[in-house]
Amino acid sequence: MNDRRRTRTAFAFAFAWFCLTGVSTQAAEQTNFLVILADDLGYSDLGCYGGEINTPNLDALAAGGLKYTQFYNTARCWPTRAALMTGYYPQQVRRDGMPGTTRQYGGGGKRPDWALTLAERLRPAGYRTYHSGKWHIDGKPIEHGFDRSDEATRSPGFFDSIRKKNRDPKFYRTTATAQHAIECLQEHGELYPEQPFFHYLAFHAPHFPLHALPEDIERYRDRYLAGWDALREQRKQRQATLGLGVGELSPIETEVGPPYDFPDQIKQLGAGEINRPVAWDTLTEQQQRFQATKMAIHTAMVDRMDREIGRVIDQLEEMGEFENTWICFLSDNGASAEIMVRGEGHDPTASPGSAETYLCLGPGFSSAANTPFRRHKTWVHEGGTSTPFIVHWPKGIGSSDERRTNVGHAIDITPTVLEIAEVQPKFGDAPPMSGRSLVPTFENEQAVIHDELWFYHEGNWALRQGDWKIIHSNIARPFPWQRSETAANESKGDAHWKLYDLSHDRAEQHDLADQHPDRVKQMANRWWELQGQFLKDSTWSIGKAVGSN
């Protein structure tokens, strides 16, 4: 019997003994929580969602729990984090813009006092709260309900800064993030065994710059030389074999490149870089090798993240808390088509993926990472907003290795955790959460959590009602968006809505707007009605934060 199975068996006997004898602790009675968030992970990157990347630990969580196929984020990092942590659409809490808002909304926006974090709601109920990794929400974690926090940042990339005289050559951000989580859990087990815990584990991977350990890159170095067209077909076939039921494969939009144009920066990357996802066989050999290497680094980053998640799971098992911990995993947006050079710059002579380089995935392999969907991060098409979503909780969920088609969103994580923790939020004069608890979906695939979901990011608008979805898309967007005249003058008359039936067309290929003009009009009016409500919510002030039971 291996160590992991031996640990699980020992815990099962111990738990049964507690139940029979009536001897228990608060920690045994109250559920722990581990929320894991990836950054710029594509819908099909995980093995259990059709990917070829080695992700055995996340695949095992899916096999032991639930795998959702219609779960959404906000298409961008900081809005999704605000949604996840508060239970509100980011526009309601000023963490993303929309028509009618000012520059005080968005990545620099400050949440209203009533928009408490999940940690702030859990701590009064006796939970110890921990944060490891990326934050990207206003304020600091320690100021907003977390007992311990470490962003594991040594530079704009994943390695220690190349500008430091005494840089640590062994530092790697993904490993450091997991190590901090492990140390928090170890401390918890030693000092606070009577308390339940909430841990927010937010990896930076696989966000650019594409930085990975050499040994991880080597495992995938030549894997992608067949190109993005072949990879998309391979992943789609695996999705069919897995029974994911996510529809047809969207054609690559060869005219859609990065969402922002940085030609001078792209030029620094050399002749191997291209900013459009053209047919693979039209590329030069140099371009093919360069693009395949970038995908190998992206893959290595995902592989390493999964390995580190495995170490965190091992720690939970060692503590005897794995069965009693509600674990979920998701991504903050789809894979990214962005190409730029930031941070500490790019040395074209350095080994790709090293600290001296600054590479981005780009639209070609981003399209493959988001298989089978259309578009990328920042767009509110399915490719930008669809995320893998895994839920694992042996103590509380009777089903395992099952697919869930219930429609859900990052705004649902806070109310779900609060329901399981038996914490009733007090809203006072604050608006009610837009998120809904996912608990009914754990055993019932027919449970309807949302009649509609609303989307907006940087000139891209969408609304999903049932299986119908309308989209207005702004391909050519000025940058930075919040400071542009276009953003300031957005109005109802600017919309050119397209309509899709997602029950047959998750790839968003068949525009039905001309066939259903009344439906488009009704849904468009509803989009603006919700925009007005969110604007009202965002300006609501009660003078002080409201606590929880």
Side-chain angles (χ1 to χ4, degrees), residues 382-453:
E382 295 291 288
T385 58
S386 295
T387 174
F389 185 62
I390 298 168
V391 172
H392 184 275
W393 183 31
K395 180 185 174 183
I397 300 177
S399 305
S400 64
D401 197 19
E402 289 189 3
R403 183 189 69 166
R404 288 289 180 266
T405 59
N406 313 73
V407 176
H409 191 283
I411 56 176
D412 301 327
I413 291 174
T414 283
T416 301
V417 169
L418 293 179
E419 178 175 343
I420 295 170
E422 299 183 354
V423 174
Q424 182 65 40
K426 292 180 179 179
F427 295 112
D429 292 327
M433 288 181 183
S434 293
R436 300 288 182 267
S437 173
L438 295 164
V439 169
T441 70
F442 294 167
E443 303 297 340
N444 181 9
E445 189 178 4
Q446 306 305 315
V448 177
I449 304 303
H450 291 282
D451 295 322
E452 59 191 6
L453 288 175

Side-chain angles (χ1 to χ4, degrees), residues 1 22 48 76 79 86 90 123 171 266 311 328 340 381 395 466 480 489 497 505-506 515:
M1 183 181 295
C48 54
R76 199 65 178 274
T86 66
R123 196 156 65 172
F171 177 84
I266 293 175
R311 290 205 301 131
C328 75
M340 63 188 72
H381 291 74
K395 180 185 174 183
N489 294 322
W497 295 107
D505 186 21
R506 285 287 299 280
Q515 299 177 36

